Amino acid sequence: MNRRLAAAGISGLLIASLTLAGCGQRSAEPTAGATQGGGKKIAKIGLIAPLSGGLSAMGAGMRNSVDLAVKQANESGAIPGWELQFVSEDDQASPDAGKNAATKLTGDKDVVGVVGPLNSSVGQAIQPIFESAGIALVSPANTNPSLTKGADLANPKRAYTTYFRTCTTDDVQGPFAAKYLLDQGIKQVATINDKKAYGQGLASAFATAFKASGGDVVGEETINPDDKDFSAVISKVKAAGPAAVYYGGEYPQAGPLSQQMKAAGLNVPLMGGDGIFDPAFIELAGATSNGDLATSVGAPAESLASAKAFLDAYGKGGYKESYGAYGMYSYDAAQSIIEALKVSLKDAKDATSARKGTVEALGKVSFNGASGAVAFNEFGDSKARVLTVYKVEGGAWKADKTEDFK
């Protein structure tokens, strides 16, 4: 979600572009297109992301960032004798649509690696498809820990050898949020989640850590992803007297939930994860969202020296949409595949025969990406654990605290 925007706050230019992208408009195609020629062999890097629907603002930033990485690899001749091509598929933030997209990409003999998806629920649906095809899948945004460690987190076991991710996970993000609220003196919190894999997992990780550190979870409620009227659940939560509400889910529901909370007299901060960290949340929540909070993976791109080259190149790329919450991590995901391809394609006769070698090489990559050092552990998770808390101030997300969370 998934996902990340500001140095001591989001820059005015970025706010404007993100706001435009967050209006739910269908994303335009990237301006940077892969080319074929010179008798080079072809290998394709794919993308699966929501390119239509309510989360398309995030999806467009992911698509454009992967497109940029592929274009730069071709321009620099990163892989001698090979031309990389970029193909993208719309998963509509839906597991079923994701399966169709995955089936289409895995059926293409030239595809050797794929970036995506945004949603953990889509990730769960498509992991087996890519595993069967032996194609590497690198998500910049899936944060549910079970995707890499299995359902029994107490006894983690990697289920899919082809799956990796460049973002950190909810078993880090939830406790990070819990610690932040406790440090602010907030001891009583109610949780609400949208029953989806991402929302449930995040709210559960938050509640477990909050209670373990002395906090009191005074209520644990759920909504349906297509709900519009949250009055019933707000009444229950308000009666429990929380000092904050922690929401596991995404901004299309979180924004109206915050607005309706305040209208009902529940004037406490709503906090969520990277799924609500988007300007569209503030648009939906309205002026009373000032003081609401979100965590997101990594540090604000504008605060990182390592991200400067990416930001400059993206700005010059002519893309209509912002790179958004997950662009930097999508760029690094694509770069990790390209680093692996430098090994696997070197002596390969074609793309299909390089798939196994690409997965093997991917697990060993180690390089300095836009987000910082990029490498994967034994489960395929990013070794980085940097997170940031953002607060709504003056109608915009402002970075409040960045930490390498241990």
Side-chain angles (χ1 to χ4, degrees):
M1 66 145 87
N2 13 235
R3 186 118 46 162
R4 221 82 130 196
L5 288 168
I10 306 172
S11 72
L13 178 61
L14 182 57
I15 291 170
S17 59
L18 275 171
T19 299
L20 180 62
C23 293
Q25 64 185 29
R26 187 177 177 83
S27 304
E29 290 300 315
T31 59
T35 60
Q36 177 179 358
K40 294 180 178 179
K41 290 185 282 189
I42 299 300
K44 296 179 181 178
I45 293 178
L47 169 87
I48 291 179
L51 302 177
S52 63
L55 298 177
S56 60
M58 290 179 172
M62 294 169 62
R63 180 194 60 196
N64 295 346
S65 300
V66 176
D67 176 77
L68 175 62
V70 171
K71 180 185 177 186
Q72 289 179 330
N74 285 328
E75 290 176 345
S76 67
I79 307 174
W82 289 82
E83 183 83 13
L84 299 182
Q85 293 185 349
F86 173 53
V87 289
S88 61
E89 295 293 336
D90 182 7
D91 65 25
Q92 304 171 38
S94 158
D96 288 340
K99 288 180 182 177
N100 292 335
T103 299
K104 185 174 181 180
L105 287 174
T106 54
D108 186 332
K109 63 181 178 56
D110 292 329
V111 171
V112 287
V114 174
V115 176
L118 170 68
N119 302 85
S120 292
S121 56
V122 178
Q124 286 179 325
I126 67 176
Q127 280 180 318
I129 299 172
F130 283 97
E131 184 78 7
S132 295
I135 296 177
L137 177 66
V138 186
S139 174
N142 290 164
T143 53
N144 190 301
S146 67
L147 291 170
T148 48
K149 297 176 181 175
D152 183 4
L153 297 179
N155 298 288
K157 182 179 180 181
R158 189 174 188 183
Y160 299 102
T161 60
T162 57
Y163 180 82
F164 301 82
R165 51 186 163 193
T166 53
C167 59
T168 192
T169 53
D170 292 340
D171 54 351
V172 180
Q173 186 172 203
F176 178 64
K179 180 177 182 296
Y180 177 87
L181 290 183
L182 289 167
D183 288 347
Q184 301 299 308
I186 294 176
K187 307 296 185 184
Q188 292 187 314
V189 171
T191 69
I192 302 173
N193 76 75
D194 63 0
K195 303 180 184 177
K196 295 166 68 175
Y198 164 73
Q200 281 185 315
L202 184 58
S204 176
F206 169 86
T208 298
F210 194 74
K211 287 184 282 191
S213 297
D216 184 11
V217 177
V218 298
E220 296 180 89
E221 303 292 338
T222 61
I223 62 168
N224 295 310
D226 55 354
D227 283 350
K228 305 294 184 185
D229 181 356
F230 304 111
S231 56
V233 72
I234 289 171
S235 294
K236 291 182 181 178
V237 169
K238 183 180 178 182
V245 171
Y246 188 82
Y247 178 69
E250 296 150 342
Y251 62 79
Q253 292 74 41
L257 175 62
S258 173
Q259 191 278 329
Q260 293 177 32
M261 278 172 47
K262 313 304 170 42
L266 184 55
N267 293 307
V268 300
L270 181 147
M271 187 177 199
D274 53 318
I276 78 167
F277 179 53
D278 192 281
F281 167 81
I282 302 171
E283 294 175 14
L284 293 166
T288 57
S289 63
N290 277 327
D292 284 349
L293 301 156
T295 55
S296 192
V297 299
E302 288 76 8
S303 71
L304 296 173
S306 59
K308 185 177 186 308
F310 163 70
L311 296 177
D312 289 346
Y314 194 96
K316 295 175 182 175
Y319 300 108
K320 295 179 180 178
E321 305 88 356
S322 165
Y323 55 85
Y326 300 101
M328 183 168 65
Y329 290 87
S330 298
Y331 181 80
D332 281 350
Q335 293 286 14
S336 70
I337 293 173
I338 292 167
E339 288 296 310
L341 293 177
K342 291 177 181 177
V343 177
S344 64
L345 291 180
K346 184 177 180 180
D347 299 314
K349 64 178 182 180
D350 53 38
T352 301
S353 64
R355 289 175 174 177
K356 181 179 179 182
T358 301
V359 173
E360 293 174 351
L362 190 56
K364 302 173 183 176
V365 299
S366 179
F367 64 99
N368 291 319
S371 64
V374 177
F376 304 106
N377 66 17
E378 68 271 29
F379 299 104
D381 281 329
S382 170
K383 292 184 177 180
R385 294 168 64 94
V386 176
L387 290 144
T388 298
V389 173
Y390 296 86
K391 179 184 289 185
V392 180
E393 294 180 357
W397 289 113
K398 307 285 187 181
D400 189 65
K401 181 180 182 180
T402 297
E403 182 177 341
D404 187 357
F405 192 63
K406 304 300 182 185

